[in-house]
Amino acid sequence: KAGVTQTPRYLIKTRGQQVTLSCSPISGHRSVSWYQQTPGQGLQFLFEYFSETQRNKGNFPGRFSGRQFSNSRSEMNVSTLELGDSALYLCASSTGHNQETQYFGPGTRLLVL
Amino acid sequence: AQSVTQLGSHVSVSEGALVLLRCNYSSSVPPYLFWYVQYPNQGLQLLLKYTSAATLVKGINGFEAEFKKSETSFHLTKPSAHMSDAAEYFCAVSGGGSARQLTFGSGTQLTVLP
């Protein structure tokens, strides 16, 4: 089975722009979660989508949003980028059942200038 | 609320020596605990997972961890370090309001010396 894929792998944007990141989960997985990883804050949960519905949300401002499509692929959008949004954004997929293992993609590294 | 504390942001061991990475958790419900490893410029790879079936959990690459409820600990060990084990290791807990939301520790960077 193919693993979780994320595109693009690297991205450079400037402050005030918006960005969209994409995640394709493992075939058959219906849950996609997003995490932000920074040196200062570590790994933080952004949100989770299951069957096209946001099921859980972390403590991030409304500039961070996401969606999930009927094929379980997910996108994450960040509007009005700030320097502090520079991070590695990781996507994880699972079956969606409680306590099931989450499998992570390689991440998208976003640099905001 | 759940939390994870990893003691030691950097650990160095010699090749062939015991690896011990410490993790303590706080959870108001029976936790599910995970250890993930991250190599440079890569995502997270699952090493092992505790789901209450057994307190000693064996994972990939010779790693294992023991769940100790009385100590609220889930330390990761490997009897003999290999150069390829050099990476960053994260302990994580799930449970509570959303069993699928992982709360991570701050990570431990493992260096293996020749």
Side-chain angles (χ1 to χ4, degrees), chain A residues 1-23:
Chain A
K1 257 186 188 179
V4 179
T5 58
Q6 293 186 246
T7 57
R9 292 292 311 278
Y10 303 92
L11 209 47
I12 300 175
K13 293 286 187 179
T14 56
R15 277 186 307 173
Q17 287 187 311
Q18 75 165 12
V19 67
T20 299
L21 313 182
S22 181
C23 172

Side-chain angles (χ1 to χ4, degrees), chain A residues 31-43:
Chain A
S31 170
V32 173
S33 296
W34 289 88
Y35 293 83
Q36 181 196 63
Q37 184 178 23
T38 60
Q41 299 299 317
L43 280 152

Side-chain angles (χ1 to χ4, degrees), chain A residues 56 98-99, chain B residues 1-2 27-32 93-101:
Chain A
N56 194 21
N98 283 354
Q99 316 306 355
Chain B
Q2 299 166 286
S27 177
S28 57
V29 298
Y32 278 59
V93 63
S94 72
S98 168
R100 296 156 306 281
Q101 176 179 340

Side-chain angles (χ1 to χ4, degrees), chain A residues 6 19 21 33-47 58-61 63-64 76-78 81-92 102 104 107-112, chain B residues 38 44 90 102-106:
Chain A
Q6 293 186 246
V19 67
L21 313 182
S33 296
W34 289 88
Y35 293 83
Q36 181 196 63
Q37 184 178 23
T38 60
Q41 299 299 317
L43 280 152
Q44 294 183 288
F45 173 77
L46 279 156
F47 31 65
N59 188 26
F60 277 81
R63 299 185 297 106
F64 292 81
M76 189 192 104
N77 183 273
V78 187
L81 284 166
E82 300 178 359
L83 297 180
D85 297 333
S86 294
L88 180 67
Y89 290 89
L90 293 163
C91 160
Q102 293 187 35
F104 284 80
T108 293
R109 187 165 296 281
L110 172 65
L111 176 62
V112 182
Chain B
Q38 186 176 36
L44 302 175
F90 293 93
L102 292 172
T103 300
F104 286 91
S106 55

Side-chain angles (χ1 to χ4, degrees), chain B residues 23-33 50-52 54-57 65-75:
Chain B
C23 172
N24 288 90
Y25 70 91
S26 172
S27 177
S28 57
V29 298
Y32 278 59
L33 295 158
Y50 167 74
T51 59
S52 77
T55 57
L56 183 61
V57 182
E66 185 173 8
F67 173 73
K68 292 186 177 181
K69 184 178 179 180
S70 60
E71 299 177 8
T72 61
S73 68
F74 190 57
H75 302 331

